[in-house]
């Protein structure tokens, strides 16, 4: 690996030299005659390509016969191509995976007018496809054609393909892509890990404009906020190009929203249905609709509106065990049984108004909005083992504690995430070149209208024991002795209230120009300015005075509903109405906590200016891109600081730096379907805002106190990247590909956890971000997708989607922690794979899909390797099926997590289970309409 690293570190000079080499033939050719097979500059022919239903076909190759000049259609099926100078007919060859190619002759008299072409169905016969808007094959073709014609390494997931999986949000949809794993919350995907990298290493954009995170603790975007049914395409870029923002070491995700020009004329799509979930209550609902049309004398205006709504009601089971170092060794010091009752609501919408007066001009205004509300009641039974005394004879799996403490708590938490963005832009063709300008504003917020807790403690101090012979569901003597069911022994301990408000907004201004020089080279230049502001404010209240106690006893606050976790009988649930009435009556009088209500706050501003220049050389089957991007970063932050005497000051942090990102990208098409890609690039990941702000965040759960410290001296992580891959696209529809990658990391950022004293409280878990001197991340992705049309008869309807990713990585510190200076990378699973078998024939299609990732590190404990926290690898089986009743009307059913696979976290060894949670399976059925 040392040789690889040394080689990559020399790529910057090579890229700049390549830029000069790429430029020189352009200037040389500017005064020379065109080489054989390349026409002199001539008239530009524009057009659009559709299927028989009027839906645009992106990624189609358009070739001018006799010259070899090529163009590729965009998402709206548009292309522009240079034709020979001499007058006469022009013959176009249209190549599109999954459909028969066609030859179209443009008469000499029509060369100045846009052309509209319709490709025949996949069978090669004229007419419509059999399964309107629901064909797995048709949707796969859209994605593979875009991937095949891309300059760099990308993975595309089309909107209709997303609909073939039971994936309600963007994170869930992305897990199907090679090299993408997801992190879940209560069974639903929230963050993504691309190629085994931390979630914040992948920037997320909507229509090319980055959206800020709603979570104040990370740059990673909560993708469970965004429903999957509002998008047109998901694009995962694995190797960046110079015009792209550099802050995506792992891969950039672009969410492309629908356009009114995605289809000819009027279009209406909709979906609605309801589901049953095993660990839920009643039924869940989900629906979406989109309507668009083009109008005007020449259909030059387009308008689109879309909306989405979903509601789920679930009751996952959850048990958490905190393990700590004791004189006898690692022992469980706290156990929490959490009985959730959670309602999640998503509302989202998009709008677009576009103007295309000619094939030279395109202007647009677009907007998106998404709202995610998580309304959760949680009943909790807690055993505070460490409040008692560990008895002799304990082992690392079983122990008895005398004089323990038992708690019962109710919490009502309502979290609201909102993301919205608005963008306006224009693209103008000037001769053979183009210029584009964009202005955008995006805003995200996270608020907690409720974060209310009421805690009771039992006067009983029993001797209790635990036995982890079954690590997932250990035995606890409490459920035999049943002291927690003696509700008369519980007395009011405290109420606690928290309110959090985080607002994160960003203004973006961008411009780009593309200018052909000579016959084979295009120069592109441009810049982007991004100004982001974030404000995080938190207030905390707690009251332990007798006057704050409820007028009812604990028994009087309980309902007649059983509270159970797995097989554990937790007694009766709190009455939610009575709990809310208590919270509303006492919140105003609860005592403000200081300094906690100040030290979690911070304000930050970040300004990034990026400039790029690149040359793209295209000849025959070779595409060579060489360029340089420069980004300057100016970051300022402030946070209240409270001394031990209570004096409040304002701590400030400031960082500014400039970074260079050279790039060299090669695409070699040996044939139209056999493509080699290679790239040398550089990327950055800036620290999360609270990591670099001079602030402190204290949280508590039971007796466990966690304290997170900011580090204003934290450096950004830089990565020199090497990517190489070979792709073979199979006729009629499929691909086999192998892609390898290596990332040479400097200043890798870790969060180290240790145990210490905070504000006089011992045993607090202290976390601080630090930089590791260097690191590396490498791996390989293997992908196979194919329609098995060569099989005889009805078997020809079968097909396969399968991919596997192997990743390995580590970082090295100059300082040893608990005897270790080399650590694995958090979020990095060694193995990730997806396997899916589908069948489509006539109006019926069925898909069975299984996705799996291996264990990965979550947190590092600087004091004790045995307390490193891991997520256990998780596999999930999903099934979908549909039948088309009539043209444009499709009935479907889907089953999600049919294996009822749990989510598990553990300390060091699998038997030291920290969290064990089950979410149950979900069955969803409904109807889709596409007119």
């Amino acid at each position: 690996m040392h040789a690889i690293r040394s080689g990559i570190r020399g790529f910057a000079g090579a890229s700049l030299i390549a830029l000069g080499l790429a430029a020189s033939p352009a200037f040389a050719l500017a005064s020379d005659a065109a080489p054989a097979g390349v026409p002199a500059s001539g008239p530009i022919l524009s057009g659009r390509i559709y299927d028989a239903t009027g839906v645009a076909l992106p990624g189609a190759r358009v070739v001018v016969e006799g010259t070899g000049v090529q163009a590729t259609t965009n998402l709206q099926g548009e292309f522009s191509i240079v034709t020979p100078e001499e007058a006469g007919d022009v013959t176009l060859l249209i190549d599109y995976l999954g459909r028969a190619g066609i030859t179209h002759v443009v008469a000499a008299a029509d060369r100045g007018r846009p052309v509209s072409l319709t490709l025949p169905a996949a069978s090669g016969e004229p007419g419509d496809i059999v399964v309107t808007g629901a064909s797995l094959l048709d949707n796969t073709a859209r994605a593979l054609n875009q991937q095949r014609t891309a300059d760099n390494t990308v993975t595309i997931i089309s909107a209709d393909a997303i609909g073939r999986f039971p994936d309600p949000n963007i994170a869930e949809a992305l897990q199907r892509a090679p090299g993408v794993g997801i992190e879940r919350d209560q069974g639903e995907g929230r963050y993504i890990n691309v190629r085994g990298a931390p979630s914040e290493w992948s920037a997320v954009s909507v229509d090319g404009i980055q959206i800020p995170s709603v979570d104040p603790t990370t740059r990673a975007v909560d993708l469970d906020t965004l429903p999957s049914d509002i998008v047109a395409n998901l694009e995962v870029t694995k190797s960046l190009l110079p015009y792209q923002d550099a802050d995506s070491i792992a891969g950039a995700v672009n969410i492309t929203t629908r356009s009114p020009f995605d289809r000819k004329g009027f279009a209406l799509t909709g979906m609605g249905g309801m589901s049953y979930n095993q660990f839920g209550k009643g039924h869940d609902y989900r629906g979406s609709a989109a309507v668009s049309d083009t109008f005007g004398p020449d259909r030059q205006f387009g308008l689109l509106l879309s909306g989405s709504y979903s509601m789920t009601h679930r009751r996952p089971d959850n048990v958490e065990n905190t393990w700590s170092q004791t004189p006898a060794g690692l022992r469980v010091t706290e156990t929490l049984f959490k009985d959730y009752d959670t309602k999640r609501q998503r509302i989202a919408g998009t709008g677009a108004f576009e103007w295309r007066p000619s094939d030279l001009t395109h202007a647009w205004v677009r907007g998106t909005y998404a709202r995610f509300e998580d309304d959760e009641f949680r009943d909790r039974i807690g055993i505070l083992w460490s409040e008692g005394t560990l008895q002799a004879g304990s082992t690392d799996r079983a122990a008895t504690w005398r004089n323990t403490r038992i708690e019962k708590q109710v919490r009502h938490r309502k979290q609201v995430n909102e993301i919205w963005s608005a963008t306006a832009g224009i693209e103008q063709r000037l001769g053979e070149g183009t210029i584009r300008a964009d202005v955008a504003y995006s805003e995200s917020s996270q608020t907690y209208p409720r974060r209310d807790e009421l805690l009771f403690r039992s006067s009983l101090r029993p001797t209790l024991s635990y036995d982890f012979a079954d690590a997932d569901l250990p035995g606890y003597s409490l459920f035999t002795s049943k002291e927690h069911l003696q509700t008369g022994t519980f007395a009011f301990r405290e109420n606690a209230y928290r309110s959090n408000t985080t607002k994160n907004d960003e203004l973006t201004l961008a411009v780009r120009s593309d200018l052909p020089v000579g016959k084979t080279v295009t120069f592109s230049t441009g810049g982007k300015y991004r100004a982001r502001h974030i404000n995080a404010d938190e207030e905390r209240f707690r009251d332990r005075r007798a006057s704050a106690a409820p007028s009812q006893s604990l028994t009087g606050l309980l309902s007649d509903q059983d509270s159970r976790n797995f097989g554990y009988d937790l007694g009766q649930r709190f009455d939610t109405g009575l709990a809310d009435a208590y919270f509303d009556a006492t919140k105003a009088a609860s005592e403000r906590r200081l300094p906690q209500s100040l030290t979690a706050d911070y304000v930050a501003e970040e300004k990034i200016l990026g400039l790029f220049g690149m040359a793209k050389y295209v000849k025959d089957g070779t595409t060579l891109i060489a360029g340089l991007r420069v980004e300057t970063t100016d970051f300022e932050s402030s946070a209240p600081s409270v001394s031990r005497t209570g004096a409040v000051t304002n701590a400030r942090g400031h960082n500014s730096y400039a970074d260079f990102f050279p790039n060299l990208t090669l695409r070699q098409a040996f044939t139209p379907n056999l493509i080699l890609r290679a790239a040398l690039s550089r990327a950055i990941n800036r620290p999360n805002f609270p990591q670099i702000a001079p602030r402190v965040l204290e949280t508590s759960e039971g007796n466990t106190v966690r304290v997170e410290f900011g580090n204003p001296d934290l450096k950004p992580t830089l990565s020199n990247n090497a990517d190489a891959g070979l792709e073979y696209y199979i006729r009629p529809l499929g691909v086999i590909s192998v892609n390898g990658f290596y990332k040479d990391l400097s200043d890798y950022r870790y969060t180290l956890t240790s145990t210490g004293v905070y504000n006089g409280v011992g045993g607090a878990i202290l976390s601080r971000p630090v930089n590791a001197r260097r690191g590396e991340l490498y791996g390989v992705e293997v992908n196979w997708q194919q329609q098995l049309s060569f099989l005889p008869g009805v078997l020809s309807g079968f097909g396969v989607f399968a991919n596997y990713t192997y990743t390995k990585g580590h970082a090295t510190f100059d300082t040893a922690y608990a005897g270790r200076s080399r650590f694995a990378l958090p979020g990095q699973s060694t193995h990730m794979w997806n396997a899916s078998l589908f069948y489509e024939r006539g109006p019926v299609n069925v898909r069975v899909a299984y996705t799996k990732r291996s264990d990965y590190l979550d947190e590092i404990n600087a004091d004790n390797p045995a307390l490193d926290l891991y997520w256990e690898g998780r596999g999930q089986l999903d099934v979908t099926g549909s039948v088309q009743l009539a043209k444009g009307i499709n009935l479907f059913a889907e089953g999600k997590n049919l294996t009822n696979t749990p989510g598990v976290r553990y300390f060091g060894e699998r038997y030291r289970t920290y969290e064990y949670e089950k979410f149950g399976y979900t069955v969803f059925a409904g109807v889709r309409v596409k007119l």
Side-chain angles (χ1 to χ4, degrees):
M1 286 301 172
H2 177 73
I4 296 175
R5 185 183 301 115
S6 299
I8 292 177
R9 285 177 173 168
F11 85 96
S15 295
L16 294 175
I17 293 172
L19 178 60
L21 293 175
S24 60
F27 292 110
L29 289 172
S31 58
D32 294 344
V38 179
S41 177
I44 294 176
L45 177 66
S46 300
R48 296 180 184 174
I49 300 179
Y50 302 94
D51 68 10
T53 67
V55 176
L57 295 179
R61 288 178 62 245
V62 182
V63 184
V64 177
E65 189 177 52
T67 69
V69 175
Q70 300 184 25
T72 302
T73 56
N74 63 13
L75 282 173
Q76 285 72 53
E78 299 169 314
F79 70 90
S80 295
I81 196 165
V82 177
T83 60
E85 188 74 57
E86 58 271 15
D89 297 347
V90 173
T91 301
L92 300 180
L93 307 177
I94 313 300
D95 174 26
Y96 191 84
L97 289 171
R99 290 176 179 267
I102 67 169
T103 300
H104 181 81
V105 178
V106 181
D110 296 330
R111 286 176 62 179
R113 293 192 291 267
V115 299
S116 179
L117 307 177
T118 300
L119 288 192
S123 63
E125 300 296 329
D128 205 350
I129 57 176
V130 174
V131 187
T132 306
S135 169
L136 292 169
L137 300 177
D138 206 46
N139 299 321
T140 301
R142 296 178 192 279
L144 291 185
N145 278 285
Q146 293 177 74
Q147 291 174 199
R148 181 180 64 152
T149 55
D151 290 331
N152 51 339
T153 303
V154 298
T155 297
I156 304 291
I157 306 175
S158 69
D160 287 330
I162 294 169
R164 305 284 74 76
F165 287 108
D167 299 330
N169 66 53
I170 297 297
E172 298 268 350
L174 286 169
Q175 71 176 319
R176 313 293 176 181
V180 179
I182 62 174
E183 300 176 21
R184 297 179 182 271
D185 177 70
Q186 294 192 6
E188 289 191 84
R190 173 161 291 179
Y191 299 116
I192 60 170
N193 302 115
V194 179
R195 289 182 162 180
S199 54
E200 61 264 29
W201 283 17
S202 297
V204 177
S205 303
V206 174
D207 294 324
I209 302 299
Q210 279 200 34
I211 55 176
S213 169
V214 298
D215 190 330
T217 66
T218 178
R219 290 180 185 265
V221 176
D222 296 44
L223 291 174
D224 58 354
T225 300
L226 302 170
S228 59
D229 47 15
I230 66 169
V231 307
N233 254 13
L234 293 177
E235 306 166 0
V236 183
T237 300
K238 304 290 183 64
S239 60
L240 299 177
L241 290 174
Y243 66 82
Q244 295 178 285
D245 295 326
D247 49 354
S248 287
I249 290 177
V253 175
N254 185 40
I255 302 167
T256 305
T257 59
R258 295 183 177 98
S259 164
F261 290 93
D262 289 343
R263 188 174 176 183
K264 288 182 181 178
F266 177 80
L268 173 65
T269 61
M271 180 275 292
M274 64 183 205
S275 67
Y276 166 80
N277 60 75
Q278 182 186 11
F279 282 33
K281 179 180 181 181
H283 298 286
D284 300 339
Y285 303 91
R286 195 163 86 226
S288 63
V291 60
S292 65
D293 201 0
T294 55
F295 55 94
D298 300 311
R299 293 280 182 179
Q300 72 268 38
F301 297 104
L303 180 66
L304 178 141
L305 296 172
S306 75
S308 172
Y309 175 82
S310 70
M311 168 66 81
T312 63
H313 191 172
R314 299 180 181 177
R315 287 178 168 174
D317 288 350
N318 180 289
V319 178
E320 294 183 7
N321 295 280
T322 299
W323 296 71
S324 304
Q325 186 68 46
T326 73
L330 289 177
R331 299 293 183 266
V332 177
T333 55
E334 184 175 81
T335 299
L336 304 176
F337 303 89
K338 299 179 178 181
D339 182 8
Y340 289 98
D341 189 340
T342 302
K343 295 179 182 179
R344 289 185 170 179
Q345 181 186 75
R346 291 183 182 87
I347 301 173
T350 68
F353 177 74
E354 300 185 33
W355 179 48
R356 298 174 185 247
S358 70
D359 59 329
L360 302 177
T361 304
H362 177 204
W364 61 88
V365 177
R366 300 190 186 106
T368 63
Y369 174 78
R371 184 181 191 274
F372 171 78
E373 179 181 297
D374 188 350
D375 192 353
E376 172 188 285
F377 275 94
R378 187 193 68 186
D379 283 61
R380 192 194 78 188
I381 290 289
I383 305 175
L384 309 184
W385 307 95
S386 59
E387 292 280 307
T389 305
L390 180 64
Q391 300 300 285
S394 66
T395 69
D396 57 354
R397 295 177 188 249
T400 298
W401 294 75
R402 182 172 59 84
N403 211 32
T404 63
R405 189 179 294 280
I406 306 169
E407 295 182 334
K408 187 173 178 67
Q409 183 203 64
V410 62
R411 183 182 75 173
H412 186 187
R413 189 202 68 172
K414 181 181 289 188
Q415 174 188 330
V416 178
N417 295 343
E418 291 185 287
I419 299 175
W420 70 270
S421 63
T423 179
I426 185 169
E427 186 172 277
Q428 179 69 45
R429 201 171 74 211
L430 303 172
E432 297 178 28
T434 59
I435 185 168
R436 171 174 173 154
D438 294 87
V439 57
Y441 178 81
S442 56
E443 183 177 300
S444 67
S445 64
Q446 183 177 83
T447 59
Y448 286 85
R450 283 189 179 272
R451 209 163 181 177
D452 310 338
E453 299 178 358
L454 173 61
L455 179 66
F456 289 82
R457 277 187 170 180
S458 173
S459 59
L460 301 177
R461 304 296 297 271
T463 296
L464 298 175
S465 61
Y466 62 79
D467 187 344
F468 274 69
D470 180 351
D472 293 336
L473 298 174
Y476 302 95
S477 65
L478 176 68
F479 299 105
T480 301
S481 55
K482 301 181 179 181
E483 287 87 351
H484 65 296
L485 300 183
Q486 299 180 39
T487 56
T489 66
F490 284 82
F492 169 76
R493 169 62 177 171
E494 68 178 30
N495 63 40
Y497 301 101
R498 291 169 62 183
S499 65
N500 305 65
T501 301
T502 304
K503 182 180 178 182
N504 196 332
D505 60 72
E506 181 167 319
L507 174 67
T508 301
L509 304 172
V511 64
R512 172 180 172 177
S513 66
D514 302 282
L515 178 64
V517 179
K519 313 305 181 293
T520 58
V521 174
T522 299
F523 272 112
S524 299
T525 59
K528 180 183 286 188
Y529 175 75
R530 297 160 51 196
R532 178 179 290 190
H533 178 268
I534 183 170
N535 189 320
D537 178 69
E538 182 172 327
E539 290 292 324
R540 301 191 184 190
F541 302 86
R542 185 176 67 188
D543 203 336
R544 292 178 172 175
R545 297 172 297 182
S547 59
S551 58
Q552 308 100 317
S553 65
L554 172 59
T555 305
L557 289 171
L558 300 180
S559 69
D560 58 359
Q561 295 184 25
D562 291 335
S563 179
R564 302 190 68 86
N565 242 18
F566 304 106
Y568 306 123
D569 179 7
L570 306 184
Q572 306 302 119
R573 282 195 175 100
F574 277 87
D575 183 299
T576 57
L578 294 176
D580 274 348
Y582 169 79
F583 294 141
D584 294 339
T586 58
K587 187 177 299 185
S590 191
E591 297 179 313
R592 188 183 187 214
R593 297 187 66 188
L594 291 172
Q596 291 85 352
S597 292
L598 295 174
T599 54
D601 302 345
Y602 72 92
V603 175
E605 290 187 348
E606 182 178 70
K607 299 176 182 177
I608 300 172
L609 176 63
L611 302 172
F612 80 91
M614 75 178 196
K616 179 179 177 180
Y617 171 81
V618 181
K619 184 177 181 182
D620 299 326
T622 301
T623 300
L624 180 65
I625 297 174
L628 177 67
R629 184 178 186 86
V630 181
E631 289 190 355
T632 63
T633 305
D634 186 78
F635 181 85
E636 292 185 353
S637 61
S638 63
S641 177
V642 182
S643 69
R644 290 187 176 274
T645 63
V648 180
T649 57
N650 199 32
R652 295 187 177 275
H654 179 259
N655 278 305
S656 60
Y657 44 89
D659 294 287
F660 296 84
F661 304 94
N663 184 289
L664 183 63
T665 299
L666 171 69
R667 180 187 184 273
Q668 180 64 53
F670 300 107
T671 71
N673 296 322
L674 180 61
I675 300 168
L676 170 71
R677 302 181 197 272
L680 296 174
S681 61
R682 199 168 195 237
I684 190 173
N685 175 246
R686 298 173 179 88
N688 294 324
F689 296 118
Q691 290 181 320
I692 200 171
R695 47 86 85 165
V696 179
L697 175 65
E698 177 194 344
T699 58
S700 60
E701 177 75 19
N703 271 12
T704 302
V705 176
R706 284 181 169 269
V707 186
E708 300 175 16
F709 296 91
N711 180 2
D713 296 325
L714 205 61
K715 298 177 182 178
T717 300
L718 291 167
S719 176
N720 297 325
N721 311 308
D723 294 86
L726 189 64
E727 304 165 0
Y728 178 67
Y729 291 87
I730 307 167
R731 297 286 185 175
L733 185 62
V735 64
I736 297 176
S737 63
V738 178
N739 287 281
F741 60 91
Y742 180 86
K743 300 181 184 298
D744 174 35
L745 308 171
S746 59
D747 292 318
Y748 181 84
R749 190 172 61 257
Y750 267 102
T751 297
L752 291 182
T753 301
S754 60
T755 303
V757 178
Y758 178 73
N759 281 348
V761 177
I765 299 174
L766 311 177
S767 297
R768 177 182 291 273
V770 296
N771 287 116
R773 176 167 47 91
R774 61 180 179 84
E776 59 184 1
L777 176 65
Y778 54 91
V780 63
E781 299 171 350
V782 181
N783 183 38
W784 173 36
Q785 300 181 33
Q786 188 176 5
Q787 175 194 3
L788 305 180
S789 56
F790 55 84
L791 295 176
V794 296
L795 297 179
S796 63
F798 280 104
V800 174
F801 289 76
N803 57 71
Y804 167 77
T805 304
Y806 171 87
T807 60
K808 204 71 176 177
H810 67 270
T812 303
F813 285 90
D814 291 329
T815 302
Y817 297 91
R820 300 178 295 169
S821 59
R822 177 167 163 159
F823 295 88
L825 304 186
Q828 180 251 312
S829 291
T830 302
H831 308 284
M832 291 186 293
W833 57 277
N834 288 282
S836 176
L837 179 69
F838 72 85
Y839 183 82
E840 177 171 306
R841 192 171 179 85
V844 176
N845 65 54
V846 179
R847 172 175 284 183
V848 179
Y850 186 78
T851 181
K852 170 78 174 181
R853 68 180 299 186
S854 60
D855 297 12
Y856 61 92
L857 182 65
D858 188 34
E859 293 180 4
I860 295 171
N861 189 289
D863 297 333
N864 189 346
L867 289 177
D868 287 349
L869 186 61
Y870 292 85
W871 276 102
E872 182 182 40
R874 187 176 180 278
Q876 180 169 303
L877 178 67
D878 304 320
V879 177
T880 61
S882 67
V883 58
Q884 183 163 308
L885 297 182
K887 183 177 180 180
I889 300 177
N890 187 271
L891 293 181
F892 69 93
E894 54 191 37
K896 188 174 181 65
N897 191 28
L898 297 181
T899 47
N900 191 16
T901 310
V904 180
R905 284 193 287 175
Y906 61 90
F907 289 106
E909 299 289 342
R910 177 59 180 83
Y911 72 86
R912 286 195 288 269
T913 305
Y914 166 58
E915 180 179 19
Y916 186 81
E917 184 174 50
K918 277 198 170 184
F919 336 104
Y921 63 81
T922 301
V923 179
F924 184 80
V927 61
R928 294 188 181 95
V929 177
K930 189 168 187 177
L931 304 176

